[in-house]
Amino acid sequence: MDLVIRDARVVDGTGGASFRADVAVDGGRIAAVVREGEGGRPTARRVLDADGLALSPGFIDMHAHSDLALLRDPAHEAKAAQGVTLEVLGQDGLSYAPVDAATLAQIRAQITGWNGGAPGDTTVDFDWRTVGEYLDRLDHGFDGEGIAVNAAYLVPQGTVRMLAVGYEDRAATAGELARMRRLVAEGMEQGAVGLSSGLTYTPGMYATDAELTELCRVVAHYGGYYCPHHRSYGAGALRAYEEMVALTREAGCALHLAHATMNFGVNKGRAPELLALLDKALDSGADISLDTYPYTPGCTTLVAMLPSWAAEGGPDAILARLRDAASATRIRHDLEVAGSDGCHGVPIDWDTIEISGVSDPGLAGHVGRTIARGAAERGEEPWTTARRLLIDDRLGSTILHHVGHEENVRQIMRHRVHTGGSDGILQGDKPHPRAYGTFPQYLGKYVRELGVLSLEECVAHLTSRPAARLRLPDRGLVREGYRADLVLFDPETVAAGSTFDAPRTLPTGIPHVLIDGRFVVADGRRTDVLAGRAVRRTGWTR
């Protein structure tokens, strides 16, 4: 054998009771799991004493924004150090494949606040156009060696609509819908695991339910799932969840609800209503799962708060409207009085909008301040500060949005179809700590300190459940024949090091992480191993 992990407390991902065992690894797979007292102890070229440590499957981040980070940062400690061995990219309906040259330029400008990669940024060579070419690029990674952790991909519906329709707020023609169906089918055939949407982001938000249903029919044919950032997490949250359940049932498509939260004051204490809605659908045969992060604030871009009409036409059109006094006045009214759809139908509270990052280093003085505080320091109204920042930073500013509720977070994470997703945006001087801390936060705060979940339950939420959603037949469990994507952590000390004040601090209590049996983290330090590859959809079709 290549390796024996000796005397570990095995938390195998099933949710069942943990047990003490030796786990042998050979050729990148788990070769034996020998429970204490049940057989001869395996031997190997290398033996790791795991007494006092828990051994679990690698954690699967069901909602990641590492689309460019995996190609820019070979260490990728933000995720590797957490024990993440697989990330799902292409989220919120906006990513970098499939594209043509014009669409790629627009996408790069639109989501630079999420991923960097603005036009003119040469840190990544955008040498792909199709989903398959992007996955090949991940496979080759750095000098052909691969990437830090494994990655799966969702076809981004907003990008697909941009290719077929553009940024126009209108229904797709029959020809445009046919093209979108082909693009989704091609992406699935090339290895994507499903389809994502960002239904509060342009241009994805312009799609009708009928259009989305047709695209979900394609996804269902290939055994994939639909992962929407749905139309509201605020005033219309429950209606938005009902909409997604109904359209995926009509399409016969599995549904995975992205960052399934109930935010803003209108939803305080309303998690039970969401869970009752989901339980009713599940009990009647719906195929539904969800992910959450274990924090209350959200994170997105400042421009995402604007009303959808102001975003029609893309980034250049947005900037033109912001510079125009009459259009800017209308935008302000929708934000502050009416409640824009970009802000989930709730009038914006500038005290809840904290700037977490800027694209222009000259604007760094805004970082760590709410819009309200920054405006007060300048002796001006919050809208004046926000408008100027949007223009000067060319829409590249990211925000923390302090609108969540702890009781909702805890109730949703207990649900029977819950999985973990960081929604980790790695850009900015002060990113959300979830990017570096989601998985140890679950294990440390919500398991050990608060007892919201047992250790065995929590590990199942972070491993086997997401693997089942992704239809991965050999990941997510500590079981013979499965891939040796493994994490060793100390249940008594594991904790997120990242905080809102120091968000890039690495976690503690996770000394070893393996991908395909190779140590990507050893003795608490990132090795130079690049064992990650693109994880493509299995060949199942309906």
Side-chain angles (χ1 to χ4, degrees), residues 188 215-225 251-254 540-542:
M188 296 297 293
L215 299 184
C216 284
R217 292 187 200 279
V218 177
V219 174
H221 173 74
Y222 290 97
Y225 66 93
C253 185
W540 189 93
T541 54
R542 192 169 68 184

Side-chain angles (χ1 to χ4, degrees), residues 94 110 157-159 161-162 166-168 198 201-207:
L94 293 166
Q110 182 169 348
Q157 171 258 333
T159 303
R161 197 172 212 272
M162 200 181 304
Y167 273 99
E168 297 177 41
Y201 302 128
T202 56
M205 64 161 55
Y206 301 141

Side-chain angles (χ1 to χ4, degrees), residues 294-311:
Y295 300 87
T296 53
C299 180
T300 187
T301 55
L302 181 58
V303 67
M305 298 292 101
L306 301 187
S308 57
W309 66 262

Side-chain angles (χ1 to χ4, degrees), residues 388-409:
R388 184 187 304 115
L389 180 58
L390 284 163
I391 293 170
D392 291 349
D393 206 26
R394 296 193 60 80
L395 314 180
S397 305
T398 52
I399 63 169
L400 301 180
H401 202 185
H402 296 273
V403 291
H405 306 287
E406 179 66 20
E407 66 271 29
N408 286 348
V409 169

Side-chain angles (χ1 to χ4, degrees), residues 356-411:
S356 59
V358 291
S359 295
D360 182 349
L363 300 169
H366 289 273
V367 175
R369 288 173 167 79
T370 65
I371 293 291
R373 177 184 166 191
E377 291 173 352
R378 292 171 175 80
E380 60 191 19
E381 294 182 320
W383 167 243
T384 302
T385 297
R387 179 188 178 193
R388 184 187 304 115
L389 180 58
L390 284 163
I391 293 170
D392 291 349
D393 206 26
R394 296 193 60 80
L395 314 180
S397 305
T398 52
I399 63 169
L400 301 180
H401 202 185
H402 296 273
V403 291
H405 306 287
E406 179 66 20
E407 66 271 29
N408 286 348
V409 169
R410 295 189 192 187
Q411 290 185 59

Side-chain angles (χ1 to χ4, degrees), residues 25 33 44 97 115-116 138 148 154 214 245 284 387 420 427 449 490 509:
V25 173
V33 180
N115 300 321
L138 293 174
L154 297 165
E214 286 304 305
V245 171
S284 64
R387 179 188 178 193
Q427 289 297 111
E449 296 177 12
D490 183 348

